[in-house]
Amino acid sequence: MAFSSDDQDYAGEKRFAGRDVQPAPDNAVANIDDPEAPSKEVSSKRQSISDLFTIFCAGFALISDGYQNSLMTMTNVVLKAEYAKQYTSKWSTQVSNALLVGEIFGQIIIGLTCDYLGRKTAIIVTTLMIVFGGILATASNGHTIYGMFWMLTVARGIVGFGTGGEYPASSTSASEAANESRLSQRGPIFILVTNLPLSFGGPLSVSIFLIVLSAAGQARLSTIWRVCFGIGIIFPFTVFYFRLKMLNSKLYRRGAIKRRVPYLLVLRYYWKSLIGTCGAWFLYDFVTFPNGIFSGQIISSVVNKHDNIRSTAEWQLLLGTLSLPGVFIGALLCNRLGRKNTMMLGFAGYLVFGLAVGCSYDKVTKIVPLFVILYGLMQSSGNLGPGDMLGLLSSESYATAVRGTCYGISAALGKTGAAVGTQAFTPIQTHLGKRWTFIIAAICGVAGILVTFFFVPNIKGDDLANADEKFRLYLVSKGWDGEMGEDDLKALADQGIPESVMEDAEREGSIAKAM
């Protein structure tokens, strides 16, 4: 990772702001108590096992998040059927948005937590929040029907805090673990344990809904949605024990900043990347979340059958399944085509399929299979591009010390886009017509391409440790003299920087001056 042009002038400063930076061999780290002696590290075997479990558990836990994100798709249909007069568009939007609002807070707060307190602590907190919120949602009740809707809103907000926190906590952990165990395949591995389970959660939630619907029957609508909420509690429990035993990554133990985080310097160093990841994530979630949450209602409006709920669920399952191939294609392309180009390709899919459906909406909706296929291809394009790449780029673009924070901010801006899109979805349909939800998706595709091209860094899958050391050197060059790391790898910021990194940084600075 190269410094931005604003920050490439440090090489001319008095040997890094007049300070005598202490180099060290690339495979050793200075100990704060005895800078001359290498620190005693966690055994490599134990760390390797922890990395594998971290990757596995991140994938399995994020299935739960995908399940929770998609749970309201069919629940909105059921609640509308059960409470036809009371469950208006106002309430469906409020209950659906509760998860998104909770996720925004969870992503920011847990993003900070996983940088300050460690990945393990943050992950345990998010797991407990999902379980607690799921229990409340399952047991939602009130003196009136509206009281029950309010309890459901609060419960979904708590679940959202947990699922939102999983984004920075699990994703940063998975990225760091993959970097240490499978560097050359870090990108594809990350996608397969983050966006794949998140995307798989959609078809899974619909499949479980169909099973519960068949067992309970359409006469027991309250039982159906409560059982579906209750099943969502099971997934976090399955990996809780392994999460209690996991270790923080070696990258984190070397690069964490626990006190005096220089946020102004962080902003100077990463401002362009933040505009890119935040802006692209806002546009992606603005399109994908409302189209996911309300897809059941969209399909229900074009399906004319006696068994409307079951038929809607079956088409919804097909729609969710059609979105999955994009995840695998994105995983294949991320190393070959590059992260940035793959993301622009996915946004281009919004343009193509959004216009295809939007401009011929009245004709296409009369042929339900064709409508669902085109709708599914649009969703699949989203998964191929921004769905796969945004999490990957947000985990690779920032140093370990602030990875959780910057990832959380980027994801939170995305969920803000989701909340805005969900809030605007019904008014757009009401005042402009249903076709415009797809035309606006196409417009967002164009905007996404532009934001990606101008602001998103072109990451190529290099070792995250190199970027960490460059960031450390940048902080030292600007006069920051804090402490970095924890446990066995704690050191002052200017200790243990590899000589090769210092030479590369000086060379880049010299080139910048010559230009």
Side-chain angles (χ1 to χ4, degrees):
M1 179 190 297
F3 294 133
S4 65
S5 57
D6 293 338
D7 298 322
Q8 286 178 323
D9 58 349
Y10 65 84
E13 300 177 16
K14 291 181 174 180
R15 186 58 178 170
F16 307 116
R19 300 182 60 197
D20 187 17
V21 179
Q22 302 294 321
D26 288 2
N27 63 347
V29 192
N31 186 300
I32 193 168
D33 296 320
D34 181 9
E36 300 299 321
S39 59
K40 182 180 179 182
E41 299 185 18
V42 174
S43 71
S44 58
K45 182 179 180 181
R46 187 182 173 205
Q47 184 69 59
S48 178
I49 293 172
S50 176
D51 289 340
L52 291 175
F53 274 109
T54 297
I55 293 170
F56 170 78
C57 290
F60 205 81
L62 286 170
I63 292 176
S64 170
D65 297 356
Y67 181 89
Q68 294 290 349
N69 287 337
S70 304
L71 198 50
M72 289 307 300
T73 300
M74 290 310 303
T75 301
N76 279 328
V77 176
V78 172
L79 289 174
K80 183 63 179 176
E82 187 177 7
Y83 306 105
K85 294 182 179 179
Q86 296 91 342
Y87 199 68
T88 61
S89 61
K90 168 184 173 291
W91 284 106
S92 66
T93 301
Q94 176 177 305
V95 176
S96 299
N97 253 350
L99 184 84
L100 299 177
V101 173
E103 286 187 331
I104 292 170
F105 284 103
Q107 284 161 343
I108 294 174
I109 294 172
I110 298 298
L112 288 166
T113 300
C114 74
D115 283 341
Y116 273 108
L117 302 180
R119 313 312 193 209
K120 177 178 177 179
T121 301
I123 283 173
I124 291 172
V125 171
T126 60
T127 304
L128 293 175
M129 293 295 286
I130 294 171
V131 171
F132 178 61
I135 292 170
L136 289 180
T138 304
S140 290
N141 214 328
H143 291 296
T144 65
I145 292 173
Y146 298 113
M148 184 188 73
F149 292 162
W150 270 110
M151 183 173 176
L152 189 57
T153 300
V154 172
R156 290 292 288 170
I158 295 171
V159 171
F161 187 93
T163 57
E166 284 278 353
Y167 278 71
S170 283
S171 297
T172 55
S173 299
S175 180
E176 290 163 8
N179 185 80
E180 293 172 9
S181 59
R182 298 289 187 275
L183 177 59
S184 63
Q185 295 300 315
R186 183 183 66 223
I189 289 173
F190 180 88
I191 290 168
L192 294 178
V193 299
T194 54
N195 196 41
L196 177 59
L198 283 169
S199 302
F200 178 70
L204 177 64
S205 68
V206 179
S207 299
I208 290 174
F209 173 84
L210 282 168
I211 294 169
V212 175
L213 176 65
S214 298
Q218 291 198 34
R220 298 181 178 86
L221 295 178
S222 182
T223 300
I224 293 169
W225 65 264
R226 290 181 190 277
V227 170
C228 289
F229 277 127
I231 290 173
I233 302 168
I234 298 172
F235 299 116
F237 268 129
T238 57
V239 293
F240 189 64
Y241 171 79
F242 299 103
R243 291 184 147 190
L244 285 173
K245 296 294 184 181
M246 68 174 279
L247 299 173
N248 286 321
S249 68
K250 187 175 179 181
L251 283 170
Y252 180 81
R253 299 202 315 278
R254 162 68 172 157
I257 301 178
K258 304 270 187 169
R259 291 178 296 177
R260 297 172 52 215
V261 181
Y263 287 114
L264 257 158
L265 292 178
V266 172
L267 192 59
R268 281 189 63 190
Y269 194 71
Y270 286 125
W271 67 269
K272 188 175 181 181
S273 297
L274 279 169
I275 291 175
T277 55
C278 289
W281 217 325
F282 182 96
L283 292 165
Y284 170 63
D285 279 2
F286 181 86
V287 173
T288 194
F289 262 79
N291 274 288
I293 290 171
F294 294 113
S295 58
Q297 294 183 28
I298 294 173
I299 293 173
S300 179
S301 68
V302 301
V303 172
N304 295 306
K305 289 189 177 181
H306 177 69
D307 189 6
N308 189 264
I309 293 179
R310 182 182 297 277
S311 180
T312 299
E314 289 169 349
W315 285 114
Q316 182 66 38
L317 179 59
L318 175 61
L319 176 64
T321 304
L322 285 172
S323 70
L324 289 178
V327 180
F328 294 101
I329 296 172
L332 287 172
L333 292 178
C334 73
N335 282 345
R336 293 173 173 82
L337 192 60
R339 277 85 156 136
K340 185 171 182 173
N341 291 333
T342 302
M343 189 152 85
M344 289 192 287
L345 179 64
F347 273 125
Y350 277 169
L351 173 62
V352 173
F353 296 111
L355 286 179
V357 175
C359 293
S360 58
Y361 186 83
D362 292 334
K363 294 181 180 179
V364 170
T365 51
K366 292 177 181 177
I367 310 171
V368 178
L370 177 62
F371 170 70
V372 172
I373 288 172
L374 289 174
Y375 197 175
L377 288 173
M378 188 182 84
Q379 300 284 62
S380 191
S381 298
N383 276 331
L384 182 157
D388 276 357
M389 297 304 127
L390 276 169
L392 179 59
L393 283 164
S394 296
S395 70
E396 293 180 335
S397 299
Y398 308 105
T400 300
V402 291
R403 181 170 294 123
T405 301
C406 293
Y407 191 111
I409 291 171
S410 301
L413 260 292
K415 287 301 175 287
T416 303
V420 172
T422 303
Q423 197 71 34
F425 191 84
T426 301
I428 288 171
Q429 285 194 330
T430 302
H431 299 294
L432 298 177
K434 293 180 179 179
R435 69 170 66 243
W436 273 93
T437 59
F438 293 94
I439 294 173
I440 289 174
I443 295 170
C444 287
V446 175
I449 292 171
L450 294 174
V451 169
T452 303
F453 181 80
F454 287 108
F455 295 103
V456 171
N458 191 21
I459 304 295
K460 298 181 179 179
D462 296 332
D463 192 342
L464 297 178
N466 294 334
D468 282 2
E469 296 304 326
K470 287 185 178 181
F471 178 68
R472 177 188 288 257
L473 187 56
Y474 167 77
L475 295 182
V476 172
S477 76
K478 296 302 180 184
W480 189 77
D481 58 356
E483 185 178 281
M484 298 182 74
E486 66 164 12
D487 300 334
D488 53 325
L489 300 179
K490 185 181 290 185
L492 293 174
D494 62 358
Q495 294 177 328
I497 301 175
E499 185 70 39
S500 59
V501 172
M502 294 164 62
E503 291 172 354
D504 288 345
E506 286 190 351
R507 184 163 54 252
E508 289 174 8
S510 300
I511 292 171
K513 285 196 168 189
M515 293 172 63

